[in-house]
Amino acid sequence: QQADEVLELVAEVLPDFSRDIDAPARVGGEELAMVLPQTDLTGGAVVAEKMRRAIAEEPIRTAAGNIEVTVSAGVSGSAVFADPHAVTVEQMLRRADDCLYQSKRQGRDRVTIDGDNSGDDRPLRKILYVDDDADIREIVQMALGLDGTVEVHTSDGGERALLKMRLEQPDL
């Protein structure tokens, strides 16, 4: 019951990250897709990362109480295919789905971009940064996460930080 409620609440924020030409859709039991025409892979990754961070930042309020939610995402586009003009929607969705499952295999709560294998051979490190200033948290998270070798989680303190420590089990 709560899974459907969480999915509906997450779907409600998708328009915050989309334009009139974009199309959010439910494509599976717990999967959502966002079709972003006139957007390259980098732009798609930026949108996915913004959504991931925004959803993880605050717990989702459900009838059963607050629930911490993370997003694993996969991004693909026509540019990764040999003939970008002959690509079908199904092919792109399949590639994005493959990237989604790669995000899940690599620890969840991340965005994987189609064709980007740069981080496959590096160990992942997790950091939990706690600060009551949201702007500072965002700056630190972005700065530490720029090269992709560090997975940075944030919290504003207190019980949320302790919960994230238990859930994420950071190295630092």
Side-chain angles (χ1 to χ4, degrees), residues 11-97:
E12 286 177 13
V13 304
L14 292 182
D16 296 344
F17 301 95
S18 63
R19 306 160 296 181
D20 290 340
I21 61 171
D22 298 336
R26 187 171 182 174
V27 293
E30 61 181 29
E31 294 178 9
L32 300 171
M34 178 79 83
V35 178
L36 305 169
Q38 302 173 2
T39 305
D40 62 9
L41 281 173
T42 302
V46 168
V47 171
E49 180 63 18
K50 285 181 178 180
M51 284 191 294
R52 185 195 68 75
R53 287 185 183 182
I55 291 167
E57 189 68 28
E58 296 291 327
I60 293 183
R61 290 162 187 34
T62 70
N66 291 347
I67 297 176
E68 297 280 336
V69 176
T70 62
V71 173
S72 300
V75 178
S76 188
S78 60
V80 301
F81 292 87
D83 184 358
H85 301 291
V87 178
T88 66
V89 172
E90 291 80 14
Q91 289 171 315
M92 277 194 279
L93 282 173
R94 191 173 314 115
R95 295 282 292 258
D97 197 49

Side-chain angles (χ1 to χ4, degrees), residues 77-130:
S78 60
V80 301
F81 292 87
D83 184 358
H85 301 291
V87 178
T88 66
V89 172
E90 291 80 14
Q91 289 171 315
M92 277 194 279
L93 282 173
R94 191 173 314 115
R95 295 282 292 258
D97 197 49
D98 290 345
C99 290
L100 162 68
Y101 282 97
Q102 184 176 346
S103 288
K104 289 182 177 186
R105 284 190 304 273
Q106 291 181 341
R108 300 180 180 270
D109 194 26
R110 69 185 63 237
V111 175
T112 299
I113 305 166
D114 197 0
D116 180 12
N117 299 321
S118 60
D120 288 351
D121 58 351
R122 291 183 285 184
L124 298 176
R125 296 196 173 268
K126 286 187 186 182
I127 294 175
L128 174 60
Y129 179 77
V130 181

